[in-house]
Amino acid sequence: FFDLEMRGVFPLQYVASQAFRGTNADAWEDLLADQKDRFVLVGGKGGVGKTTTSASLAVQFATDGHSTLLVSTDPAHSLGDALETDLSSGEVVRVEGVAGASLYACEVKVDDAVAEFKRLVGGVSSDEGGAASAQGLGLSDFADIFDAVPPGVDELIALSKIVALAQRDAY
């Protein structure tokens, strides 16, 4: 792709036209033409263009007539910058400037999601009295495990937030 930061729907549309259309169209045709709901995950090491790739792909989906929800779990929160849209609330926001269908975006506040999970687990454990089962750990013991979040749990909780957003079936 490009070695620069893309900002705004129109530059992202240009990136999409170069990356997903033209000489590259055959590689993306099945994904872009499919009318079913789906998750498309973009991952990789830092600085490789995940935000630009996912944002331009989302713009292409919306331009092609697919209602699209773009969700970032990146703690750097650069998706709002790329789309030139304020996503600081952590709520789903409609992105303006896309013709075809609706494009929505959200930056999941992973720390808030982990705190909410801890609160929910803590509430369940206090309702249960924290009694240990015959097998060992009680719910309060389980809740205590999340005082120091093990590696990967924050991503798992963020993924559960993404699934919850998708189940709303509003995007």
Side-chain angles (χ1 to χ4, degrees):
F1 289 110
F2 302 92
D3 188 21
L4 59 113
E5 185 175 332
M6 304 304 284
R7 287 178 170 251
V9 169
F10 296 112
L12 291 169
Q13 286 174 327
Y14 175 76
V15 170
S17 73
Q18 299 304 300
F20 311 121
R21 296 294 184 208
T23 59
N24 298 315
D26 290 345
W28 295 94
E29 183 177 356
D30 290 343
L31 181 66
L32 292 168
D34 193 344
Q35 295 297 314
K36 296 182 291 190
D37 290 345
R38 75 211 90 153
F39 288 96
V40 178
L41 304 175
V42 177
K45 291 180 133 187
V48 298
K50 296 178 296 293
T51 299
T52 301
T53 299
S54 59
S56 60
L57 186 57
V59 167
Q60 186 66 59
F61 275 127
T63 300
D64 287 353
H66 304 282
S67 289
T68 304
L69 172 61
L70 176 60
V71 181
S72 173
T73 60
D74 186 350
H77 295 307
S78 57
L79 180 59
D81 294 337
L83 295 170
E84 292 187 326
T85 301
D86 183 7
L87 301 176
S88 63
S89 69
E91 299 297 320
V92 175
V93 174
R94 185 181 174 124
V95 177
E96 300 300 325
V98 179
S102 298
L103 174 59
Y104 299 90
C106 174
E107 290 177 331
V108 173
K109 295 182 175 185
V110 177
D111 291 341
D112 290 354
V114 170
E116 179 184 349
F117 180 78
K118 286 180 182 181
R119 184 184 55 76
L120 291 171
V121 171
V124 170
S125 68
S126 64
D127 292 345
E128 296 292 323
S133 68
Q135 288 79 27
L137 292 176
L139 284 175
S140 63
D141 297 317
F142 178 71
D144 291 342
I145 290 172
F146 288 96
D147 283 339
V149 179
V153 169
D154 50 346
E155 287 88 356
L156 183 61
I157 292 169
L159 184 59
S160 73
K161 293 287 277 190
I162 293 169
V163 170
L165 287 170
Q167 287 176 334
R168 289 185 191 169
D169 201 28
Y171 313 106

